[in-house]
Amino acid sequence: MISSRSARRCIRPGGQRKILQRRRLGPKLRAVQLFDLLLGHGDRVALTADGRDHTYGALADAAARLAATLRARGLAAGDRVAFFLPNCAELAIAYFGCFAAGLVAVPLNPRYRGPEVEHAVADCAPRLLIADAALLDRLDGARLAALGIAGVVVAGGPAPTGTEPFARLLDAAPLPAPVAVAADDPAVVLYTSGSTGKPKGVTHTHASLRRTARHQVVSQALDASDVQLAFMGIAYIAAFAGQLLTAFALGGRVILLPHGDPAAVVDAIPRHGVTRLQTGPADLRDLLAHPAPARAALATLRCAIAGGERIAAELHHRFAEWAGLPLTEACGMTEAYNYAMNPPFGAKRLGSFGLPTDGVTLRLVGADGRDGDEGEVWLRSDAMARGYWNDPAATAAALRDGWLVTGDLARRDADGWYWFVGRRKEIIIRGASNIAPGEVESVLTQHPAVAAAGVVGAPDAHDGHVPVAFVQLHPGAAATPAALRAFASERLAEYKVPVRVVVLDALPRNVNGKLDRAALAARSSLSAA
């Protein structure tokens, strides 16, 4: 049950607040260059990471020094720089250093294994890789060099021979002014799994990200007093655009924590006066498994947003009991962050992913191509990604006459609220992370004993869905499920590795000879038990 205290904490005069927000944004967000978000706030604390406070002025100075170093080394506007980093101050500096230099930032999932890193590097051809010392053992320096990486920079620990320390990038005098960029110039490439094959590079521009920040400030009813707790990775769109950029757009503060430490989250809320946090279902379950703190310890918390997958009713109820305020469910994707959400302050509808966010228009397109009250979600916004890096076919399939085709199926009730129905795509969402069945299948069929593989999602109480693999072996070949899982774990991020591998005499096929995923899905829940 939500206390009257928490109810007072959540209800604010919406209309008056929105007017103040639009006035407070002023001319700043009419600019394009993302580096400008760091300017004008001086000694205000922008980021707390690794136990240290970093002011806006200090971040801007460090980013400008990094930008000057990269430009001096011959990197030109539009060149890419890849990051293989967990949540840390160096990641924030690297982002804004790239923005200042007119370079394109390519944050890679720190859970990636070597082949996944190599795929992204081959796809977008970054000149430089900035990696965490603890992740170096996943990388093959010779292969990266062959793919065009001119150097590896190491943060978070000693730099081995053949690499250089991150601090060396900050030795130059600051770049006098950020490089001018056009509105449609790319700023980041975020790799995300689609419904088939390898991850695609979602390309956001300086303008699309500035507009994302502007729209989220309004939709989330944010102001400069808000303190964001980012414990999801800022290598992902949700924490990067939804927390880091929106906070910096207002001169607010971000508390950056390592991913997957519920105790640190609970400790940070009262320690730093956290007002906002954002999470996915799996992280939410981990948080709720932690002993509930004293209610007074969470008194500063105003709003908690959850998305990335449908949020079960029991999680809503448990969080309200745990924190003393309701969970705000939202829906989004890397291509268009947070396109719908429940109101952060005010009435919510349990099970609905809410109403279109600021600047977003939604339509539901049926199988017959006509709009209705149920169908596939198509959206239009000035904050959408411009497409997929180096993939015009995928871009053309996703962007149609100015509309982004999401693959999400939903219905709209009489009051205009949206309710999730299913997914047109075969994507598996584990926690808040996407898994492409085709990518996992491709890895499994690299094993010499495997003739064919099929991967489907099985319901899971903690993660929402988990991958289960069915394999058909070559005649006379032998391989145990444990060996096949070990083979996959060497080539895939841990969350993509099937929780169970089932060996079949033959994979089921439909009348057209294609893999019958429906038949596998029917078996998957039993197989994952």
Side-chain angles (χ1 to χ4, degrees):
M1 187 126 180
I2 300 171
S3 67
S4 58
R5 176 186 60 80
S6 63
R8 291 194 299 273
R9 210 191 320 159
C10 295
I11 298 172
R12 298 183 176 186
Q16 181 182 5
R17 183 170 175 130
K18 182 173 286 190
I19 292 170
L20 290 173
Q21 286 161 350
R22 292 188 183 278
R23 186 181 303 139
R24 190 178 294 115
L25 291 173
K28 179 188 293 185
L29 283 180
R30 289 200 290 268
V32 172
Q33 210 343 324
L34 282 165
F35 177 80
D36 291 347
L37 293 177
L38 297 182
L39 304 180
H41 304 300
D43 293 333
R44 286 179 65 93
V45 174
L47 185 72
T48 298
D50 308 316
R52 293 183 55 201
D53 289 342
H54 304 264
T55 66
Y56 278 90
L59 280 183
D61 179 75
R65 290 176 184 275
L66 187 146
T69 299
L70 297 183
R71 296 288 290 189
R73 293 185 182 185
L75 275 74
D79 284 345
R80 276 76 63 204
V81 176
F83 316 143
F84 193 37
L85 297 166
N87 279 354
C88 58
E90 289 88 346
L91 180 50
I93 293 167
Y95 268 126
F96 284 91
C98 285
F99 300 153
L103 305 173
V104 181
V106 185
L108 303 177
N109 188 333
R111 293 186 288 179
Y112 275 176
R113 298 295 176 183
E116 295 164 306
V117 172
E118 291 165 12
H119 163 72
V121 168
D123 186 58
C124 71
R127 297 274 304 278
L128 190 73
L129 175 66
I130 304 175
D132 187 75
L135 302 178
L136 290 176
D137 61 355
R138 302 185 195 174
L139 304 177
D140 184 326
R143 288 185 59 82
L144 292 175
L147 291 170
I149 293 290
V152 176
V153 176
V154 178
T161 302
T163 67
E164 64 177 318
F166 184 84
R168 193 174 296 169
L169 298 184
L170 310 182
D171 286 343
L175 196 69
V179 172
V181 295
D184 201 38
D185 282 347
V188 298
V189 177
L190 297 151
Y191 279 87
T192 183
S193 293
S195 58
T196 59
K198 297 287 188 179
K200 299 190 294 292
V202 177
T203 305
H204 273 283
T205 68
H206 285 261
S208 72
L209 292 171
R210 290 299 296 258
R211 293 165 182 155
T212 295
R214 180 185 67 208
H215 293 317
Q216 290 305 312
V217 164
V218 174
S219 298
Q220 297 185 34
L222 295 163
D223 64 31
S225 71
D226 278 307
V227 179
Q228 294 273 1
L229 179 57
F231 62 98
M232 299 175 75
I234 59 169
Y236 308 100
I237 190 71
F240 167 60
Q243 294 189 280
L244 193 74
L245 296 186
T246 53
F248 287 1
L250 292 166
R253 183 181 179 191
V254 176
I255 312 300
L256 194 60
L257 295 180
H259 182 252
D261 189 349
V265 172
V266 172
D267 175 72
I269 293 173
R271 180 185 298 273
H272 300 291
V274 168
T275 65
R276 307 291 183 119
L277 60 83
Q278 187 165 285
T279 183
D283 289 329
L284 182 59
R285 288 186 183 279
D286 290 340
L287 186 61
L288 295 177
H290 190 275
R295 190 57 57 79
L298 304 179
T300 59
L301 192 61
R302 300 173 187 165
C303 179
I305 295 175
E309 179 61 282
R310 181 187 297 177
I311 307 300
E314 57 99 5
L315 284 179
H316 278 280
H317 295 310
R318 287 175 59 196
F319 183 82
E321 182 65 28
W322 189 87
L325 76 164
L327 198 61
T328 297
E329 188 165 350
C331 184
M333 56 198 302
T334 304
E335 293 86 342
Y337 168 72
N338 201 11
Y339 64 74
M341 68 182 294
N342 278 255
F345 305 106
K348 307 178 193 303
R349 297 193 179 184
L350 200 64
S352 168
F353 60 81
L355 301 164
T357 50
D358 186 62
V360 172
T361 301
L362 297 182
R363 56 190 286 210
L364 297 179
V365 180
D368 58 1
R370 298 181 179 179
D371 286 17
D373 290 327
E374 186 164 343
E376 183 176 21
V377 179
W378 289 26
L379 70 90
R380 184 167 59 196
S381 166
D382 61 3
M384 298 187 311
R386 76 175 195 180
Y388 301 104
W389 187 270
N390 201 29
D391 197 339
T395 299
L399 296 174
R400 304 181 194 174
D401 298 322
W403 292 89
L404 175 63
V405 180
T406 70
D408 294 333
L409 303 177
R411 64 178 177 85
R412 182 175 50 233
D413 66 23
D415 298 320
W417 290 64
Y418 287 80
W419 304 77
F420 185 75
V421 172
R423 297 187 185 278
R424 182 178 56 81
K425 305 173 184 178
E426 296 167 348
I427 196 77
I428 301 166
I429 298 183
R430 183 174 189 174
S433 299
N434 290 355
I435 303 169
E439 182 185 9
V440 183
E441 290 160 3
S442 176
V443 166
L444 288 170
T445 53
Q446 292 172 27
H447 191 284
V450 176
V455 175
V456 294
D460 180 82
H462 182 271
D463 286 334
H465 286 84
V466 293
V468 174
F470 297 85
V471 300
Q472 178 180 333
L473 303 181
H474 290 292
T480 66
L484 294 174
R485 289 191 73 251
F487 182 84
S489 69
E490 294 172 358
R491 293 161 176 80
L492 294 168
E494 184 179 5
Y495 71 94
K496 298 180 184 177
V497 177
V499 298
R500 186 178 176 96
V501 176
V502 180
V503 178
L504 300 178
D505 292 335
L507 296 183
R509 304 283 175 179
N510 61 23
V511 292
N512 295 319
K514 295 182 179 180
L515 182 68
D516 189 343
R517 293 187 183 277
L520 291 182
R523 300 183 59 163
S524 65
S525 58
L526 292 176
S527 299

